[in-house]
Amino acid sequence: MDEGGTPLLPDSLVYQIFLSLGPADVLAAGLVCRQWQAVSRDEFLWREQFYRYYQVARDVPRHPAAMSWYEEFQRLYDTVPCVEVQTLREHTDQVLHLSFSHSGYQFASCSKDCTVKIWSNDLTISLLHSADMRPYNWSYTQFSQFNKDDSLLLASGVFLGPHNSSSGEIAVISLDSFALLSRVRNKPYDVFGCWLTETSLISGNLHRIGDITSCSVLWLNNAFQDVESENVNVVKRLFKIQNLNASTVRTVMVADCSRFDSPDLLLEAGDPATSPCRIFDLGSDNEEVVAGPAPAHAKEGLRHFLDRVLEGRAQPQLSERMLETKVAELLAQGHTKPPERSATGAKSKYLIFTTGCLTYSPHQIGIKQILPHQMTTAGPVLGEGRGSDAFFDALDHVIDIHGHIIGMGLSPDNSRDFVASGAEDRHGYIWDRHYNICLARLRHEDVVNSVVFSPQEQELLLTASDDATIKAWRSPRTMRVLQAPRPRPRTFFSWLASQRR
């Protein structure tokens, strides 16, 4: 500007010059004068800066929640947790899993060193407790989850049984006293387990029926299994699910859909009263198709026989391959009634897990509704939701991914704009879901196994790696706030002296 305050260059020319600058240079130039300050905040300028800097396709619109291109650029640049602030080295072997408490004040880590460590998440992270599971014949710990009120921690791992056979086990740890409250067997170990309510958890068991056919049984367990509980039910069988072609139920988790009035997840099923069913004797090759329900003695005999097979108290007279074929044909002919809903539908939850029907590798996601009266170990044990001619529980919905599922997660209620992933290239990655771009690469010295955002603070991220470390990452904005010099409080005497002057 000249001495009279008149711009020497028109805004259009300043705009063209700023287009050739980078974001930092544009902001620095905006400090020169009022005219340049106004041009440096131009929406069209920052739209061009945004698409060029982040290499976003031009047909991708601005995020619906963004108020301006300048603020959107600032959000992606300043709020991504990409600054390493702390490295935790208390583990002595590969760190496999991390989980935050719902409050965000604590988190837990599992490792090949066979310990579960509980940490305090303050400005400086510190170790609260380390539980060594080797005295319980564990090989390593692999998964943890806090219950809803953050009073209990579920930890699962690989248990070494007789003759070096491996299975799984779940341990429940009190977060008040860090005492081990209960242990539950879990087979296969990659079922992991999960909380259903504040005091009950789901585990799995696997029964072989034939060479490639099996039955996964999901159990509801009370977290408190002390001496006083010997006269009450502490375990309840929830569902029996058939597995075909060597597949099994794995990675069990629970989704709380109570905030939706009518979750559209269920498949409609036919009426068993009018559906034809196939009836046969498992001990012979004869089979018969009749209209209407099967005779009661045939249905009960079939269920009783298969129950005994699963429990190892009976051997089928057919070969294993023929038995698998018979069971599969029975399921193909059977129909079950639609899943019940509670009066309000407000407290139903959904069991979600990986499974399959074609190969050993999981390629499907199964969904089964859990009704409110099923969320306690009291009451009837099994079969209340099945048709009388059904031995296995039918799933409400199956999603075929048509590929190997290696992981699965549920989005939190406060769904985030950023997602994170770990990779074998020794990096963790942070992605923006709307623009589908990588915002940060977080370096480790080995494979990154687990990444987790704080549930209360999106600008804090933890990563765990095979290099036996846990790293904490914060955003540039958070670091500026934490490192900003704070004025020293003035004492009463210094204030009094200044008043006398």
Side-chain angles (χ1 to χ4, degrees):
M1 292 185 178
D2 59 16
E3 295 180 357
T6 304
L8 297 176
L9 296 175
D11 289 353
S12 58
L13 184 55
V14 177
Y15 173 82
Q16 292 298 325
I17 295 174
F18 282 8
L19 279 178
S20 64
L21 302 179
D25 293 332
V26 169
L27 293 175
L31 301 177
V32 172
C33 63
R34 294 180 180 177
Q35 179 202 17
W36 288 18
Q37 169 71 16
V39 176
S40 69
R41 293 295 189 270
D42 183 86
E43 269 292 277
F44 293 102
L45 174 65
W46 282 102
R47 183 184 65 181
E48 294 301 315
Q49 292 283 354
F50 185 93
Y51 281 119
R52 185 172 59 193
Y53 184 86
Y54 292 110
Q55 299 181 358
V56 177
R58 294 276 175 169
D59 58 349
V60 178
R62 192 176 67 194
H63 193 289
M67 301 301 294
S68 69
W69 284 104
Y70 172 76
E71 291 181 359
E72 186 68 345
F73 190 104
Q74 187 180 38
R75 179 183 71 87
L76 297 189
Y77 188 89
D78 218 23
T79 64
V80 176
C82 57
V83 180
E84 181 181 340
V85 295
Q86 193 172 353
T87 301
L88 308 174
R89 305 182 185 276
E90 280 77 358
H91 282 291
T92 59
D93 207 335
Q94 303 170 3
V95 186
L96 302 179
H97 186 262
L98 299 169
S99 64
F100 263 106
S101 63
H102 294 80
S103 66
Y105 295 147
Q106 296 177 345
F107 68 90
S109 59
C110 297
S111 170
K112 280 289 187 71
D113 64 11
C114 207
T115 64
V116 181
K117 297 187 186 299
I118 303 170
W119 309 79
S120 172
N121 179 34
D122 207 337
L123 293 179
T124 300
I125 297 171
S126 59
L127 181 64
L128 291 177
H129 178 72
S130 180
D132 186 0
M133 302 306 294
R134 281 171 292 192
Y136 305 101
N137 215 28
W138 283 31
S139 176
Y140 58 89
T141 61
Q142 62 178 354
F143 175 82
S144 63
Q145 185 183 41
F146 290 79
N147 69 341
K148 191 172 182 179
D149 61 8
D150 293 337
S151 62
L152 303 173
L153 179 69
L154 175 155
S156 70
V158 176
F159 174 85
L160 292 178
H163 309 293
N164 293 324
S165 62
S166 62
S167 183
E169 190 167 84
I170 298 172
V172 178
I173 301 173
S174 169
L175 294 176
D176 293 329
S177 61
F178 300 117
L180 181 62
L181 300 179
S182 61
R183 293 160 55 205
V184 177
R185 290 294 171 88
N186 190 42
K187 183 178 180 181
Y189 59 81
D190 51 2
V191 169
F192 297 121
C194 65
W195 290 105
L196 178 60
T197 67
E198 288 82 353
T199 58
S200 60
L201 58 103
I202 295 177
S203 64
N205 203 351
L206 184 66
H207 301 280
R208 297 291 179 185
I209 299 177
D211 287 339
I212 58 175
T213 300
S214 62
C215 171
S216 289
V217 181
L218 298 177
W219 295 87
L220 181 63
N221 307 267
N222 196 326
F224 303 94
Q225 300 184 7
D226 48 17
V227 176
E228 289 76 8
S229 66
E230 62 182 4
N231 296 321
V232 298
N233 289 340
V234 295
V235 177
K236 174 181 175 180
R237 192 164 55 181
L238 273 179
F239 304 117
K240 291 199 296 186
I241 300 170
Q242 191 209 22
N243 305 310
L244 300 175
N245 294 321
S247 64
T248 61
V249 170
R250 308 177 189 179
T251 317
V252 172
M253 57 185 61
V254 171
D256 186 354
C257 299
S258 58
R259 63 185 184 277
F260 300 110
D261 293 332
S262 56
D264 185 18
L265 292 174
L266 306 181
L267 292 178
E268 294 185 359
D271 186 351
T274 59
S275 301
C277 62
R278 184 172 301 237
I279 304 169
F280 53 85
D281 183 358
L282 286 177
S284 69
D285 292 334
N286 298 325
E287 55 186 338
E288 179 184 2
V289 179
V290 297
H297 66 87
K299 294 179 294 188
E300 294 303 320
L302 171 62
R303 296 176 63 186
H304 179 65
F305 177 80
L306 287 180
D307 271 325
R308 295 179 62 200
V309 170
L310 294 183
E311 295 170 3
R313 295 185 289 108
Q315 295 293 329
Q317 299 179 19
L318 302 178
S319 67
E320 289 185 340
R321 184 72 63 179
M322 293 176 64
L323 175 60
E324 294 166 18
T325 304
K326 293 290 187 182
V327 173
E329 290 176 352
L330 174 64
L331 294 178
Q333 294 296 325
H335 296 274
T336 60
K337 64 181 180 179
E340 302 175 22
R341 292 175 181 266
S342 60
T344 62
K347 296 184 179 180
S348 295
K349 297 182 180 181
Y350 286 88
L351 182 70
I352 302 177
F353 52 87
T354 60
T355 183
C357 65
L358 300 177
T359 66
Y360 170 80
S361 299
H363 60 91
Q364 294 177 326
I365 298 174
I367 302 174
K368 180 69 176 175
Q369 187 182 28
I370 306 176
L371 300 176
H373 70 275
Q374 297 174 306
M375 300 181 192
T376 173
T377 55
V381 174
L382 178 70
E384 53 197 356
R386 296 203 306 265
S388 58
D389 58 345
F391 176 72
F392 298 106
D393 291 285
L395 302 183
D396 299 330
H397 200 62
V398 176
I399 303 172
D400 202 321
I401 305 300
H402 301 288
H404 185 188
I405 302 174
I406 59 175
M408 183 173 62
L410 295 173
S411 62
D413 292 340
N414 53 339
S415 296
R416 304 180 182 278
D417 295 321
F418 303 145
V419 294
S421 62
E424 295 183 351
D425 65 357
R426 304 180 180 182
H427 287 88
Y429 293 88
I430 301 177
W431 310 82
D432 184 87
R433 294 201 292 189
H434 178 74
Y435 301 107
N436 194 27
I437 56 174
C438 178
L439 298 173
R441 298 171 75 244
L442 314 174
R443 180 167 178 78
H444 273 268
E445 298 304 318
D446 210 328
V447 176
V448 175
N449 296 312
S450 182
V451 291
V452 58
F453 283 98
S454 166
Q456 302 298 331
E457 184 184 359
Q458 179 169 287
E459 298 180 34
L460 170 63
L461 176 75
L462 302 177
T463 56
S465 170
D466 279 356
D467 62 13
T469 67
I470 301 169
K471 291 188 177 183
W473 309 80
R474 292 189 181 273
S475 68
R477 180 174 66 178
T478 302
M479 294 307 299
R480 287 198 305 272
V481 173
L482 295 178
Q483 296 174 356
R486 299 180 181 180
R488 297 177 60 183
R490 300 177 65 184
T491 64
F492 174 77
F493 296 104
S494 62
W495 174 84
L496 182 61
S498 66
Q499 297 301 312
R500 290 179 176 176
R501 298 193 187 98

